[in-house]
Amino acid sequence: MAGGGFCRLPNGTVVVALTLNGPAGGPGPGEPVRVLVHAVNRARALTRLRNLGLRAVYLRGNAHPPTPDEITAVLHHPDGLLWRTAPQTAQELWHPIRALLGSSGYAGPARPAA
């Protein structure tokens, strides 16, 4: 893991920011992406990512907390899950997590057909 951190908001919720290697089907194979998650607490934020198939996601320390602009972006998004390439190139906008994970919305191994 390249870096990450969190920020506790006045209402008690947290914004977690992580820099991860992007999935193979993402913007560029292995290209780092910055992921933002808004949740009730840090554990729930990481659980939200793990439920999407990003299994090896851990937050160790608070070396790279979210910037005020990142916090504003994730608070104004209805899903509370955003990403963009890291480091930011030019004026790239934030993308919903579905755009990173593909049409299935899941980054893990193929799910069995129901």
Side-chain angles (χ1 to χ4, degrees):
M1 167 141 342
F6 69 95
C7 180
R8 184 165 302 279
L9 302 177
N11 65 359
T13 62
V14 297
V15 174
V16 174
L18 298 166
T19 304
L20 308 169
N21 288 330
E31 183 178 348
V33 294
R34 182 83 163 168
V35 178
L36 300 176
V37 183
H38 179 229
V40 175
N41 56 40
R42 286 180 289 173
R44 182 62 186 142
L46 297 176
T47 299
R48 289 184 73 187
L49 290 174
R50 290 180 186 133
N51 287 344
L52 293 171
L54 301 170
R55 298 288 181 212
V57 175
Y58 297 96
L59 181 61
R60 294 186 177 103
N62 199 16
H64 302 284
T67 64
D69 289 338
E70 291 175 335
I71 294 171
T72 301
V74 77
L75 289 178
H76 285 88
H77 193 272
D79 292 340
L81 275 164
L82 299 173
W83 73 274
R84 71 176 170 197
T85 57
Q88 180 184 1
T89 57
Q91 293 294 327
E92 182 184 7
L93 299 176
W94 289 97
H95 308 282
I97 199 73
R98 290 180 304 271
L100 178 66
L101 303 177
S103 61
S104 67
Y106 181 72
R111 290 184 171 173

